[in-house]
Amino acid sequence: MIITIALSKGRIFEETMPLLAAAGISALEDPESSRKLIIPTNRDDVRLIIVRASDVPTYVQYGAADLGVAGKDVLNEHGGTGLYQPLDLNIARCRMMVAVPSEFDYESAVKQGARLRVATKYVQTAREHFAAKGVHVDLIKLYGSMELAPLVGLSDAIVDLVSSGGTLKANNLKAVEEIMPISSRLVVNQASLKLKRATLQPMIDAFAQAVQP
Ligand code: ATP
Ligand code: MG
């Protein structure tokens, strides 16, 4: 029985490699240089597939992959249907934040009950956050470069991932609210876990052992 693991390129792939190594799995090609989307490993019964970060939950949900690694940001937007999430891998850590232009008085705008225009890739997360605060928002869906939106009048605020804050600063924006801390999770197809438990459980246990606090 073949085990398929869905990963995205970049930080998730890099930070997942040591965890795979702990389970005795190593990639035979580097997805950054290879054009292959199916990457073989040292184990005949394990292969990696390379997908967009936001597509990882979908591949696992439908069983096209047995396992995957996805950010909490992506999982919140997906909703998690059909996914078992046994492990916080504590990798790709950052924070989901509300940010505004540095001269914008966010507190006053919120207090006055102003209707905020918020641009984001994370519409679900943003909707829940502002609804819980009782703030009225018009959400504008973007697919990237959220920092640009307030600079050209598309929105008053953005909801985006922040790690160092360097990109916000470079664009004259400030973070005004943390929505939630973000890290990547191991996701498992629920049917796979039942059918392939003998192979999957030891892998999950090895990942758990290797997670850095
Ligand atoms: P794409 O770049 O293909 O549009 P993406 O931006 O979602 O997709 P990445 O930038 O590789 O892909 O991010 C993958 C995951 O890494 C995100 O879902 C998030 O969980 C996490 N992440 C994103 N930005 C940061 C960051 N600045 N620091 C740490 N982790 C981050
Ligand atoms: Mg990106």
Side-chain angles (χ1 to χ4, degrees):
M1 239 174 337
I2 298 258
I3 303 295
T4 302
I5 306 176
L7 299 173
S8 52
K9 275 201 244 189
R11 57 171 67 84
I12 289 193
F13 188 88
E14 282 152 30
E15 297 187 42
T16 300
M17 284 308 103
L19 299 169
L20 289 182
I25 300 162
S26 55
L28 296 186
E29 279 182 66
D30 177 0
E32 299 298 338
S33 52
S34 170
R35 287 165 186 255
K36 281 192 191 157
L37 297 176
I38 301 180
I39 307 262
T41 73
N42 62 315
R43 273 176 59 169
D44 284 342
D45 65 337
V46 180
R47 63 180 183 172
L48 310 179
I49 61 171
I50 304 301
V51 304
R52 278 295 282 272
S54 48
D55 290 335
V56 167
T58 306
Y59 277 85
V60 178
Q61 170 187 4
Y62 290 102
D66 302 292
L67 301 179
V69 175
K72 192 177 172 196
D73 51 325
V74 160
L75 289 166
N76 280 341
E77 293 299 307
H78 173 270
T81 307
L83 302 176
Y84 173 55
Q85 299 184 32
L87 217 49
D88 182 350
L89 299 174
N90 212 18
I91 60 171
R93 283 162 55 95
C94 53
R95 294 182 295 163
M96 184 72 72
M97 313 253 341
V98 181
V100 298
S102 52
E103 67 283 354
F104 186 86
D105 189 349
Y106 177 72
E107 289 300 322
S108 300
V110 166
K111 258 192 216 125
Q112 287 162 17
R115 196 170 182 91
L116 280 183
R117 292 170 305 148
V118 179
T120 187
K121 185 165 147 183
Y122 305 103
V123 170
Q124 225 25 57
T125 305
R127 182 178 292 117
E128 280 166 28
H129 173 72
F130 290 108
K133 280 175 62 86
V135 174
H136 294 287
V137 291
D138 291 318
L139 293 170
I140 300 164
K141 168 78 183 182
L142 290 177
Y143 293 88
S145 303
M146 270 80 84
E147 296 84 0
L148 179 63
L151 305 182
V152 294
L154 179 63
S155 72
D156 305 304
I158 62 173
V159 165
D160 198 5
L161 297 175
V162 179
S163 48
S164 70
T167 308
L168 291 182
K169 210 166 175 193
N171 290 292
N172 203 28
L173 301 173
K174 61 181 178 188
V176 287
E177 215 160 58
E178 171 163 339
I179 298 180
M180 66 180 82
I182 299 290
S183 56
S184 289
R185 316 283 157 116
L186 183 67
V187 293
V188 185
N189 177 271
Q190 286 173 350
S192 298
L193 188 60
K194 293 196 187 91
L195 295 168
K196 305 183 180 178
R197 182 151 224 149
T199 313
L200 288 179
Q201 194 62 55
M203 284 173 57
I204 296 168
D205 292 344
F207 298 151
Q209 285 286 321
V211 169
Q212 303 290 311

